[in-house]
Amino acid sequence: MDNKETIARNDVSDEEIVISGIAGRFPNSDNMNQLRENLFNKIDLVRADHDRWGKEHPEFSRRMGTVNKAEKFDADFFGLTFEQAHTLSGEARLLLEHSYEAIIDAGINPKQLQGKNTALIIGTSLIESQERLMYKDIQVKKDIYIYI
């Protein structure tokens, strides 16, 4: 390889192992099974009766999907104190919960993974309205602006 030293790893077997599980929380669906059932039954998962955006933000859609029980979190289960749990964002708390659920979904006891070389692959997205809200000047009330 052009005089470059190659490193051989003796601790890696020739077998590749992939154990996959999936978890998630979706609008009006607490898990993947509920999402599947809602989709198969053609249930409308978005609604207009939310208080996320005030009427002073007409640029945002009035209909949106909301996640059930997003404020619920079992800090003791994850070995966190009340203070630690409340320093985490809601997204971080959901990420902990769903990471654990994905491991369970893969048929693995999470305690068996302690001390093992394990990866958890996570996908996330940011929608356009969130980006506008987070990265551009927005008017919150008349004549009061937030600059981000």
Side-chain angles (χ1 to χ4, degrees):
M1 297 186 108
D2 297 342
N3 297 328
K4 292 182 181 177
E5 184 179 350
T6 58
I7 300 172
R9 297 206 39 183
N10 295 328
D11 59 340
V12 178
S13 73
D14 290 337
E15 292 183 45
E16 291 186 25
I17 300 173
V18 174
I19 303 172
S20 61
I22 189 168
R25 195 169 305 165
F26 304 91
N28 294 326
S29 306
D30 294 336
N31 55 50
M32 299 297 296
N33 290 333
Q34 284 182 359
L35 175 65
R36 182 188 68 229
E37 290 302 315
N38 286 335
L39 292 174
F40 286 158
N41 292 316
K42 299 180 180 179
I43 307 266
D44 186 0
L45 300 175
V46 296
R47 60 184 203 192
D49 63 339
H50 61 82
D51 60 356
R52 177 72 184 251
W53 317 120
K55 295 204 187 288
E56 65 271 3
H57 294 295
E59 70 274 18
F60 296 131
S61 173
R62 291 300 311 149
R63 293 180 46 80
M64 66 182 277
T66 57
V67 176
N68 301 330
K69 301 178 264 186
E71 71 284 351
K72 305 286 185 191
F73 181 72
D74 189 350
D76 288 335
F77 181 82
F78 291 100
L80 299 173
T81 66
F82 177 83
E83 292 79 16
Q84 289 171 321
H86 282 80
T87 60
L88 293 174
S89 68
E91 292 88 356
R93 292 191 300 265
L94 288 171
L95 181 60
L96 277 172
E97 290 175 345
H98 295 314
S99 298
Y100 189 87
E101 289 174 17
I103 293 167
I104 297 293
D105 186 68
I108 299 170
N109 180 344
K111 292 184 180 195
Q112 294 174 323
L113 297 177
Q114 291 177 343
K116 301 282 187 342
N117 186 11
T118 305
L120 181 64
I121 311 302
I122 298 164
T124 185
S125 67
L126 182 69
I127 61 173
E128 184 181 332
S129 60
Q130 287 174 316
E131 186 176 0
R132 264 196 310 246
L133 183 63
M134 292 171 52
Y135 299 112
K136 294 191 179 187
D137 300 347
I138 60 169
Q139 183 177 357
V140 176
K141 291 186 178 177
K142 258 188 178 161
D143 302 325
I144 299 175
Y145 291 86
I146 296 176
Y147 299 98
I148 302 174

